[in-house]
Amino acid sequence: MREYTSYDVNGHRLLLKIAALGDNNDWNMANIRFETPLAKKSGSKKSHVTDMLQPVLSVKKNIYGEMRLSVVSPETPTQAKLPKGIKFAKAFHYIGSTAPKSNTDFSLYGNAKRGKIQITFEGVDNSGSTKLYAYYYACYESNKGELRQSITIVSTGIEF
């Protein structure tokens, strides 16, 4: 009996044998948690939602003087709801005859409402003979106010 009850180096040998050979019921009865499925799991650092998710932006309608965009979550593409931990889906735009050189060329247009964005081209000078294009990207803003720059840019010609 002594060999099971007092082993100073590795702890209580009887409890170690129950932990090694017992089942879940035995572990509960002996209140054993060390190296068993009942042991407390170490907490893992939660990654930021904005690092993982990127909204899917698409042009739904391109009519004279306006455009309608759709923003959906990649997790639930058939629903307009925002993912958990997300406050807004923000849309950025750039209008020009050439492609933007960097994300700093874009300006904030607004937040998507129910997964939709209505774009109007009031104040855009279309008097030139060159065709103008609209470039868009969307990103999520987390509840903490963090933004992640999108890598997907959608472009289309503007109908005037």
Side-chain angles (χ1 to χ4, degrees):
M1 183 70 164
R2 182 167 171 80
E3 63 180 331
Y4 291 117
T5 57
S6 60
Y7 188 65
D8 295 330
V9 177
N10 290 328
H12 200 289
R13 289 191 64 198
L14 178 60
L15 295 179
L16 292 176
K17 285 204 176 232
I18 293 172
L21 303 173
D23 60 6
N24 201 3
N25 188 33
D26 296 333
W27 298 329
N28 280 328
M29 287 180 62
N31 197 21
I32 298 174
R33 300 199 187 295
F34 175 71
E35 292 183 355
T36 66
L38 297 177
K40 183 178 178 184
K41 304 289 189 258
S42 62
S44 62
K45 183 179 178 183
K46 293 182 180 178
S47 62
H48 296 292
V49 175
T50 55
D51 290 341
M52 296 183 295
L53 294 177
Q54 186 176 6
V56 177
L57 178 72
S58 61
V59 177
K60 289 296 180 189
K61 205 177 262 191
N62 186 2
I63 56 177
Y64 185 79
E66 68 180 48
M67 233 178 252
R68 293 188 188 135
L69 305 177
S70 171
V71 180
V72 295
S73 170
E75 294 177 335
T76 56
T78 59
Q79 298 176 352
K81 70 178 188 174
L82 294 172
K84 185 177 180 182
I86 299 297
K87 190 180 223 180
F88 298 113
K90 296 189 171 285
F92 293 83
H93 79 289
Y94 170 79
I95 297 172
S97 58
T98 61
K101 307 247 184 296
S102 69
N103 280 353
T104 57
D105 295 338
F106 287 85
S107 61
L108 176 65
Y109 187 81
N111 296 330
K113 291 180 179 57
R114 297 183 187 231
K116 296 178 183 152
I117 302 169
Q118 181 81 18
I119 308 280
T120 57
F121 299 109
E122 297 172 4
V124 175
D125 183 22
N126 63 342
S127 60
S129 62
T130 60
K131 180 151 178 80
L132 293 177
Y133 294 92
Y135 298 86
Y136 301 100
Y137 76 87
C139 64
Y140 283 135
E141 180 180 350
S142 72
N143 289 335
K144 296 179 181 177
E146 300 167 335
L147 285 176
R148 178 176 184 216
Q149 298 296 325
S150 177
I151 55 172
T152 306
I153 296 175
V154 176
S155 67
T156 185
I158 298 175
E159 301 292 328
F160 285 111

